[in-house]
Amino acid sequence: MLWGRHSLNAVRQTTRPTRLFFHDCPVNELQPLRLLLLGSPGSGKGTQSSRLQKNFSVAHLSSGDLLRRNINQKTPTGLKASEYMAKGKLVPDELMLSLIDQELAAFGNPNWLLDGFPRTILQAKALDAMLQKLTQPLNLVINLEVPEDVILERIMDRWVHIPSGRVYNLSYNPPRVPGMDDVTGEPLSKRPDDNPEVFRVRLQQYKDMCAPILDHYSPIAVTLRGNTSDEIYPQIEREIVNRLGILPGPLSVPSTTSMTAAAVSRHNRDQRQRHSVVDQEIDVESAAATAQ
């Protein structure tokens, strides 16, 4: 009888199927993607954001684009923001948080990425508090690191459609008609600060700003390095898959079905763990009985 019990345990252990994964994160750890994307001016945040929108169905929230749109549409928050800007003042954190709060509420998408905010520790803490109230805390922070000489070359090739904020680069994302915006046909402009001297000052300011923010988010933050967006993007995708269990593709937005499947998987895992504990207790009892 005791021998049969040991045999049954041996069968249980040898016949359990082995699960194979193409990444390091089990599917039962599926989470929504709530990403903060950091990077110095010219590091390729816009390019990476577009790829993530396409491949992971994320909603993209750029604080700069959001502010411009609300000002152009003359929304109540946009009108308040324009008053501060007309006086040469920074837009208060409360207004920016209000805009982000409204935008997240309108998304209807659990997967989103944020760039351009926060820029200070105080802003980061205020953002954290707001997201906690929404039960949507950040779960991944990615910092893009590109060599200075590469960024400077990008900056010198950059042209912008000021009203919309659309950015073009003569090296890898040129306008269809030279000097003209693809959407409106209006002329493109160079930013006044797109020159080597101003760039180096802005880069140092960014480093000073970014270091404490990365330290604040250290448990969920990672810095990815490369010379081109094509080098860095596979690293971004790998981090998302391995940390959050979200695979690229049309089903990347967690649905009720996928979340239910994840819950069932967790339940089955817990059941297996409980059975394993029971088996071990039986083995101990059996060994004790045999010794007597």
Side-chain angles (χ1 to χ4, degrees):
M1 183 69 176
L2 294 176
W3 180 88
R5 208 175 260 166
H6 282 291
S7 299
L8 180 58
N9 288 336
V11 170
R12 284 177 181 166
Q13 292 173 1
T14 56
T15 59
R16 284 173 183 165
T18 302
R19 302 179 69 186
L20 300 177
F21 299 103
F22 295 101
H23 48 84
D24 302 330
C25 181
V27 293
N28 60 4
E29 299 300 332
L30 180 68
Q31 300 180 52
L33 172 60
R34 298 185 293 266
L35 166 66
L36 172 61
L37 191 60
L38 300 173
S40 63
S43 61
K45 293 192 299 294
T47 300
Q48 304 297 7
S49 295
S50 297
R51 290 185 176 184
L52 290 169
Q53 282 182 285
K54 177 182 177 182
N55 295 334
F56 285 90
S57 304
V58 298
H60 178 208
L61 200 167
S62 166
S63 60
D65 292 346
L66 182 59
L67 184 59
R68 278 188 292 269
R69 187 171 76 242
N70 276 266
I71 290 174
N72 292 336
Q73 294 177 353
K74 297 183 176 3
T75 65
T77 308
L79 290 173
K80 290 180 182 178
S82 62
E83 291 177 6
Y84 285 94
M85 296 174 68
K87 298 175 183 177
K89 297 181 178 180
L90 295 175
V91 177
D93 294 349
E94 295 78 11
L95 283 183
M96 288 306 306
L97 288 168
S98 175
L99 288 175
I100 294 171
D101 190 7
Q102 295 169 24
E103 193 75 358
L104 288 176
F107 275 162
N109 185 345
N111 291 342
W112 46 262
L113 74 90
L114 172 64
D115 82 72
F117 191 92
R119 295 177 181 269
T120 67
I121 281 294
L122 288 178
Q123 290 177 350
K125 292 180 178 179
L127 176 67
D128 293 346
M130 186 198 77
L131 293 177
Q132 286 290 350
K133 290 181 180 178
L134 297 173
T135 63
Q136 295 189 61
L138 291 168
N139 53 18
L140 181 58
V141 175
I142 291 179
N143 179 46
L144 308 179
E145 191 169 292
V146 179
E148 290 185 25
D149 57 336
V150 174
I151 296 179
L152 181 57
E153 185 177 346
R154 293 179 184 177
I155 292 291
M156 299 309 294
D157 283 344
R158 182 164 67 182
W159 291 80
V160 182
H161 180 244
I162 299 296
S164 68
R166 279 185 288 275
V167 179
Y168 299 87
N169 192 285
L170 301 182
S171 300
Y172 57 84
N173 180 37
R176 289 193 290 266
V177 177
M180 298 296 177
D181 177 48
D182 288 350
V183 178
T184 65
E186 295 172 348
L188 302 176
S189 305
K190 288 289 288 182
R191 289 176 176 167
D193 54 357
D194 277 355
N195 64 72
E197 293 75 20
V198 175
F199 162 72
R200 290 190 176 91
V201 173
R202 292 178 63 200
L203 185 60
Q204 187 57 51
Q205 290 174 340
Y206 171 77
K207 289 179 178 178
D208 294 341
M209 172 207 77
C210 188
I213 292 178
L214 285 175
D215 185 60
H216 174 71
Y217 289 118
S218 58
I220 58 171
V222 60
T223 293
L224 304 179
R225 300 173 175 85
N227 288 343
T228 68
S229 296
D230 288 341
E231 288 179 17
I232 293 178
Y233 178 75
Q235 301 176 55
I236 296 176
E237 190 167 289
R238 191 176 303 117
E239 292 294 330
I240 292 172
V241 172
N242 289 343
R243 289 172 180 259
L244 305 178
I246 302 176
L247 298 175
L251 298 180
S252 61
V253 177
S255 63
T256 301
T257 302
S258 62
M259 297 305 287
T260 300
V264 170
S265 181
R266 282 193 295 272
H267 172 75
N268 290 339
R269 178 191 61 193
D270 293 342
Q271 288 290 95
R272 288 195 298 270
Q273 290 174 344
R274 280 194 287 270
H275 285 312
S276 177
V277 170
V278 171
D279 290 344
Q280 292 173 7
E281 291 175 349
I282 291 175
D283 289 344
V284 170
E285 292 174 356
S286 299
T290 302
Q292 292 175 355

Short mmCIF file of all heavy atoms in Angstrom, two decimals, residues 63-104:
data_model
loop_
_atom_site.label_atom_id
_atom_site.label_comp_id
_atom_site.label_asym_id
_atom_site.label_seq_id
_atom_site.Cartn_x
_atom_site.Cartn_y
_atom_site.Cartn_z
N SER A 63 2.57 64.52 -23.80
CA SER A 63 2.11 65.70 -23.07
C SER A 63 2.19 66.96 -23.93
O SER A 63 1.32 67.82 -23.86
CB SER A 63 2.93 65.88 -21.79
OG SER A 63 4.31 66.05 -22.09
N GLY A 64 3.23 67.05 -24.78
CA GLY A 64 3.35 68.21 -25.66
C GLY A 64 2.23 68.28 -26.68
O GLY A 64 1.61 69.34 -26.89
N ASP A 65 1.95 67.13 -27.35
CA ASP A 65 0.86 67.09 -28.33
C ASP A 65 -0.47 67.37 -27.66
O ASP A 65 -1.34 68.05 -28.22
CB ASP A 65 0.83 65.72 -29.01
CG ASP A 65 2.04 65.49 -29.90
OD1 ASP A 65 2.76 66.47 -30.20
OD2 ASP A 65 2.28 64.32 -30.27
N LEU A 66 -0.64 66.81 -26.46
CA LEU A 66 -1.90 66.98 -25.73
C LEU A 66 -2.12 68.46 -25.38
O LEU A 66 -3.24 68.98 -25.53
CB LEU A 66 -1.85 66.14 -24.45
CG LEU A 66 -3.08 66.13 -23.55
CD1 LEU A 66 -4.30 65.62 -24.31
CD2 LEU A 66 -2.82 65.27 -22.33
N LEU A 67 -1.07 69.13 -24.97
CA LEU A 67 -1.18 70.54 -24.62
C LEU A 67 -1.50 71.38 -25.86
O LEU A 67 -2.40 72.24 -25.83
CB LEU A 67 0.12 71.01 -23.98
CG LEU A 67 0.17 72.45 -23.46
CD1 LEU A 67 -0.93 72.67 -22.41
CD2 LEU A 67 1.54 72.77 -22.88
N ARG A 68 -0.79 71.12 -26.96
CA ARG A 68 -1.04 71.88 -28.19
C ARG A 68 -2.47 71.68 -28.68
O ARG A 68 -3.14 72.64 -29.11
CB ARG A 68 -0.05 71.43 -29.28
CG ARG A 68 1.30 72.10 -29.21
CD ARG A 68 2.16 71.77 -30.42
NE ARG A 68 2.53 70.37 -30.43
CZ ARG A 68 3.63 69.89 -29.87
NH1 ARG A 68 4.45 70.71 -29.22
NH2 ARG A 68 3.92 68.60 -29.93
N ARG A 69 -2.96 70.44 -28.62
CA ARG A 69 -4.31 70.17 -29.11
C ARG A 69 -5.36 70.90 -28.29
O ARG A 69 -6.30 71.48 -28.84
CB ARG A 69 -4.58 68.66 -29.09
CG ARG A 69 -5.91 68.29 -29.75
CD ARG A 69 -6.07 66.81 -29.91
NE ARG A 69 -6.41 66.15 -28.68
CZ ARG A 69 -5.66 65.24 -28.07
NH1 ARG A 69 -4.50 64.90 -28.60
NH2 ARG A 69 -6.06 64.67 -26.97
N ASN A 70 -5.20 70.91 -26.98
CA ASN A 70 -6.18 71.59 -26.13
C ASN A 70 -6.14 73.10 -26.31
O ASN A 70 -7.17 73.77 -26.24
CB ASN A 70 -5.95 71.20 -24.66
CG ASN A 70 -6.60 69.90 -24.28
OD1 ASN A 70 -7.72 69.87 -23.78
ND2 ASN A 70 -5.91 68.80 -24.55
N ILE A 71 -4.95 73.63 -26.55
CA ILE A 71 -4.84 75.07 -26.81
C ILE A 71 -5.50 75.42 -28.14
O ILE A 71 -6.27 76.39 -28.25
CB ILE A 71 -3.36 75.51 -26.79
CG1 ILE A 71 -2.82 75.44 -25.35
CG2 ILE A 71 -3.21 76.92 -27.35
CD1 ILE A 71 -1.33 75.71 -25.25
N ASN A 72 -5.23 74.60 -29.18
CA ASN A 72 -5.82 74.87 -30.50
C ASN A 72 -7.33 74.72 -30.48
O ASN A 72 -8.05 75.45 -31.17
CB ASN A 72 -5.21 73.93 -31.55
CG ASN A 72 -3.74 74.24 -31.82
OD1 ASN A 72 -3.29 75.37 -31.61
ND2 ASN A 72 -3.00 73.25 -32.29
N GLN A 73 -7.83 73.76 -29.69
CA GLN A 73 -9.28 73.53 -29.62
C GLN A 73 -9.97 74.46 -28.62
O GLN A 73 -11.19 74.41 -28.48
CB GLN A 73 -9.55 72.07 -29.24
CG GLN A 73 -9.11 71.07 -30.31
CD GLN A 73 -9.31 69.62 -29.88
OE1 GLN A 73 -9.66 69.34 -28.72
NE2 GLN A 73 -9.08 68.70 -30.79
N LYS A 74 -9.16 75.26 -27.93
CA LYS A 74 -9.70 76.23 -26.96
C LYS A 74 -10.58 75.55 -25.90
O LYS A 74 -11.66 76.05 -25.55
CB LYS A 74 -10.47 77.34 -27.67
CG LYS A 74 -9.62 78.19 -28.60
CD LYS A 74 -10.43 79.31 -29.22
CE LYS A 74 -9.66 80.27 -30.08
NZ LYS A 74 -8.26 80.06 -30.33
N THR A 75 -10.12 74.42 -25.41
CA THR A 75 -10.83 73.77 -24.31
C THR A 75 -10.61 74.60 -23.04
O THR A 75 -9.68 75.43 -22.98
CB THR A 75 -10.31 72.35 -24.08
OG1 THR A 75 -8.94 72.43 -23.63
CG2 THR A 75 -10.38 71.52 -25.36
N PRO A 76 -11.44 74.42 -21.99
CA PRO A 76 -11.23 75.19 -20.75
C PRO A 76 -9.81 75.06 -20.19
O PRO A 76 -9.19 76.05 -19.80
CB PRO A 76 -12.27 74.61 -19.80
CG PRO A 76 -13.37 74.11 -20.70
CD PRO A 76 -12.67 73.61 -21.93
N THR A 77 -9.29 73.82 -20.19
CA THR A 77 -7.93 73.62 -19.68
C THR A 77 -6.91 74.24 -20.63
O THR A 77 -5.91 74.83 -20.20
CB THR A 77 -7.63 72.13 -19.50
OG1 THR A 77 -8.66 71.53 -18.70
CG2 THR A 77 -6.30 71.92 -18.80
N GLY A 78 -7.17 74.13 -21.94
CA GLY A 78 -6.27 74.73 -22.92
C GLY A 78 -6.21 76.24 -22.82
O GLY A 78 -5.15 76.85 -22.97
N LEU A 79 -7.35 76.88 -22.55
CA LEU A 79 -7.39 78.33 -22.39
C LEU A 79 -6.59 78.76 -21.17
O LEU A 79 -5.86 79.76 -21.20
CB LEU A 79 -8.84 78.81 -22.29
CG LEU A 79 -9.67 78.72 -23.58
CD1 LEU A 79 -11.13 79.06 -23.30
CD2 LEU A 79 -9.09 79.65 -24.65
N LYS A 80 -6.72 78.01 -20.08
CA LYS A 80 -5.94 78.33 -18.88
C LYS A 80 -4.44 78.19 -19.15
O LYS A 80 -3.63 79.02 -18.74
CB LYS A 80 -6.34 77.41 -17.73
CG LYS A 80 -7.74 77.66 -17.17
CD LYS A 80 -8.04 76.69 -16.03
CE LYS A 80 -9.45 76.90 -15.49
NZ LYS A 80 -9.77 75.91 -14.42
N ALA A 81 -4.09 77.11 -19.86
CA ALA A 81 -2.67 76.88 -20.17
C ALA A 81 -2.12 77.99 -21.05
O ALA A 81 -0.99 78.46 -20.84
CB ALA A 81 -2.50 75.53 -20.85
N SER A 82 -2.90 78.44 -22.04
CA SER A 82 -2.43 79.50 -22.94
C SER A 82 -2.21 80.81 -22.20
O SER A 82 -1.34 81.60 -22.58
CB SER A 82 -3.42 79.69 -24.09
OG SER A 82 -4.68 80.09 -23.60
N GLU A 83 -2.97 81.06 -21.15
CA GLU A 83 -2.77 82.28 -20.35
C GLU A 83 -1.39 82.28 -19.70
O GLU A 83 -0.69 83.29 -19.70
CB GLU A 83 -3.85 82.38 -19.28
CG GLU A 83 -5.26 82.65 -19.81
CD GLU A 83 -6.29 82.67 -18.70
OE1 GLU A 83 -5.88 82.58 -17.51
OE2 GLU A 83 -7.49 82.77 -19.01
N TYR A 84 -0.99 81.13 -19.15
CA TYR A 84 0.33 81.04 -18.53
C TYR A 84 1.43 81.18 -19.59
O TYR A 84 2.43 81.90 -19.38
CB TYR A 84 0.49 79.70 -17.81
CG TYR A 84 -0.25 79.62 -16.51
CD1 TYR A 84 -1.53 79.08 -16.44
CD2 TYR A 84 0.32 80.08 -15.33
CE1 TYR A 84 -2.23 78.99 -15.24
CE2 TYR A 84 -0.35 80.02 -14.12
CZ TYR A 84 -1.63 79.47 -14.08
OH TYR A 84 -2.30 79.41 -12.89
N MET A 85 1.25 80.52 -20.73
CA MET A 85 2.27 80.56 -21.78
C MET A 85 2.40 81.96 -22.36
O MET A 85 3.51 82.39 -22.71
CB MET A 85 1.92 79.53 -22.86
CG MET A 85 1.95 78.09 -22.35
SD MET A 85 1.39 76.89 -23.57
CE MET A 85 2.70 76.98 -24.77
N ALA A 86 1.29 82.68 -22.49
CA ALA A 86 1.34 84.05 -23.01
C ALA A 86 2.15 84.97 -22.11
O ALA A 86 2.74 85.96 -22.57
CB ALA A 86 -0.08 84.60 -23.18
N LYS A 87 2.22 84.64 -20.82
CA LYS A 87 2.99 85.44 -19.86
C LYS A 87 4.41 84.92 -19.70
O LYS A 87 5.17 85.40 -18.86
CB LYS A 87 2.29 85.43 -18.50
CG LYS A 87 0.90 86.04 -18.51
CD LYS A 87 0.22 85.87 -17.14
CE LYS A 87 -1.20 86.42 -17.16
NZ LYS A 87 -1.89 86.19 -15.85
N GLY A 88 4.76 83.90 -20.52
CA GLY A 88 6.10 83.33 -20.43
C GLY A 88 6.31 82.41 -19.25
O GLY A 88 7.45 82.14 -18.86
N LYS A 89 5.22 81.93 -18.68
CA LYS A 89 5.31 81.06 -17.51
C LYS A 89 5.11 79.60 -17.91
O LYS A 89 4.50 79.30 -18.95
CB LYS A 89 4.25 81.44 -16.47
CG LYS A 89 4.42 82.85 -15.90
CD LYS A 89 3.33 83.14 -14.87
CE LYS A 89 3.50 84.52 -14.25
NZ LYS A 89 2.45 84.81 -13.24
N LEU A 90 5.62 78.71 -17.08
CA LEU A 90 5.40 77.28 -17.30
C LEU A 90 3.97 76.92 -16.95
O LEU A 90 3.36 77.50 -16.04
CB LEU A 90 6.35 76.45 -16.44
CG LEU A 90 7.84 76.58 -16.76
CD1 LEU A 90 8.67 75.79 -15.74
CD2 LEU A 90 8.14 76.10 -18.17
N VAL A 91 3.43 75.94 -17.68
CA VAL A 91 2.09 75.45 -17.37
C VAL A 91 2.14 74.70 -16.04
O VAL A 91 2.99 73.81 -15.86
CB VAL A 91 1.57 74.52 -18.48
CG1 VAL A 91 0.20 73.95 -18.12
CG2 VAL A 91 1.50 75.27 -19.81
N PRO A 92 1.29 75.05 -15.07
CA PRO A 92 1.35 74.40 -13.75
C PRO A 92 1.13 72.89 -13.85
O PRO A 92 0.43 72.39 -14.74
CB PRO A 92 0.20 75.07 -12.97
CG PRO A 92 -0.05 76.36 -13.67
CD PRO A 92 0.27 76.11 -15.11
N ASP A 93 1.76 72.17 -12.92
CA ASP A 93 1.62 70.71 -12.90
C ASP A 93 0.17 70.29 -12.80
O ASP A 93 -0.24 69.28 -13.40
CB ASP A 93 2.40 70.14 -11.70
CG ASP A 93 3.90 70.35 -11.84
OD1 ASP A 93 4.35 70.76 -12.93
OD2 ASP A 93 4.62 70.11 -10.84
N GLU A 94 -0.64 71.02 -12.04
CA GLU A 94 -2.05 70.64 -11.85
C GLU A 94 -2.80 70.61 -13.18
O GLU A 94 -3.63 69.73 -13.42
CB GLU A 94 -2.74 71.61 -10.89
CG GLU A 94 -2.21 71.58 -9.46
CD GLU A 94 -0.90 72.35 -9.31
OE1 GLU A 94 -0.53 73.08 -10.26
OE2 GLU A 94 -0.25 72.21 -8.26
N LEU A 95 -2.49 71.59 -14.06
CA LEU A 95 -3.16 71.62 -15.36
C LEU A 95 -2.72 70.44 -16.24
O LEU A 95 -3.54 69.82 -16.91
CB LEU A 95 -2.87 72.94 -16.08
CG LEU A 95 -3.64 74.18 -15.61
CD1 LEU A 95 -3.29 75.39 -16.46
CD2 LEU A 95 -5.13 73.93 -15.64
N MET A 96 -1.41 70.14 -16.23
CA MET A 96 -0.93 69.02 -17.03
C MET A 96 -1.51 67.70 -16.53
O MET A 96 -1.93 66.86 -17.33
CB MET A 96 0.60 68.95 -16.99
CG MET A 96 1.30 70.05 -17.77
SD MET A 96 0.78 70.17 -19.50
CE MET A 96 1.02 68.49 -20.09
N LEU A 97 -1.58 67.53 -15.22
CA LEU A 97 -2.17 66.31 -14.67
C LEU A 97 -3.64 66.22 -15.02
O LEU A 97 -4.16 65.13 -15.29
CB LEU A 97 -1.98 66.28 -13.15
CG LEU A 97 -0.55 66.02 -12.67
CD1 LEU A 97 -0.43 66.30 -11.18
CD2 LEU A 97 -0.15 64.58 -12.97
N SER A 98 -4.34 67.36 -15.03
CA SER A 98 -5.75 67.36 -15.41
C SER A 98 -5.92 66.91 -16.85
O SER A 98 -6.82 66.12 -17.17
CB SER A 98 -6.34 68.76 -15.20
OG SER A 98 -7.68 68.82 -15.66
N LEU A 99 -5.05 67.41 -17.74
CA LEU A 99 -5.12 66.99 -19.15
C LEU A 99 -4.87 65.50 -19.30
O LEU A 99 -5.57 64.80 -20.05
CB LEU A 99 -4.09 67.78 -19.97
CG LEU A 99 -4.39 69.25 -20.23
CD1 LEU A 99 -3.21 69.91 -20.95
CD2 LEU A 99 -5.66 69.41 -21.06
N ILE A 100 -3.84 64.99 -18.60
CA ILE A 100 -3.52 63.56 -18.68
C ILE A 100 -4.66 62.72 -18.13
O ILE A 100 -5.04 61.69 -18.70
CB ILE A 100 -2.20 63.28 -17.93
CG1 ILE A 100 -1.04 63.96 -18.65
CG2 ILE A 100 -1.95 61.78 -17.81
CD1 ILE A 100 0.27 63.94 -17.88
N ASP A 101 -5.24 63.15 -17.02
CA ASP A 101 -6.37 62.45 -16.41
C ASP A 101 -7.53 62.35 -17.39
O ASP A 101 -8.13 61.28 -17.59
CB ASP A 101 -6.79 63.20 -15.14
CG ASP A 101 -7.80 62.42 -14.31
OD1 ASP A 101 -8.07 61.26 -14.63
OD2 ASP A 101 -8.32 62.99 -13.34
N GLN A 102 -7.87 63.47 -18.02
CA GLN A 102 -8.98 63.48 -18.98
C GLN A 102 -8.69 62.57 -20.18
O GLN A 102 -9.57 61.86 -20.67
CB GLN A 102 -9.23 64.91 -19.47
CG GLN A 102 -9.72 65.88 -18.40
CD GLN A 102 -9.69 67.32 -18.87
OE1 GLN A 102 -9.74 67.60 -20.06
NE2 GLN A 102 -9.56 68.24 -17.92
N GLU A 103 -7.44 62.60 -20.65
CA GLU A 103 -7.08 61.79 -21.82
C GLU A 103 -7.15 60.30 -21.50
O GLU A 103 -7.66 59.51 -22.30
CB GLU A 103 -5.68 62.17 -22.29
CG GLU A 103 -5.32 61.63 -23.66
CD GLU A 103 -5.99 62.40 -24.79
OE1 GLU A 103 -6.77 63.33 -24.51
OE2 GLU A 103 -5.74 62.04 -25.95
N LEU A 104 -6.64 59.90 -20.34
CA LEU A 104 -6.70 58.48 -19.97
C LEU A 104 -8.14 58.00 -19.84
O LEU A 104 -8.47 56.88 -20.23
CB LEU A 104 -5.95 58.26 -18.65
CG LEU A 104 -4.43 58.36 -18.70
CD1 LEU A 104 -3.84 58.20 -17.30
CD2 LEU A 104 -3.85 57.30 -19.63
#
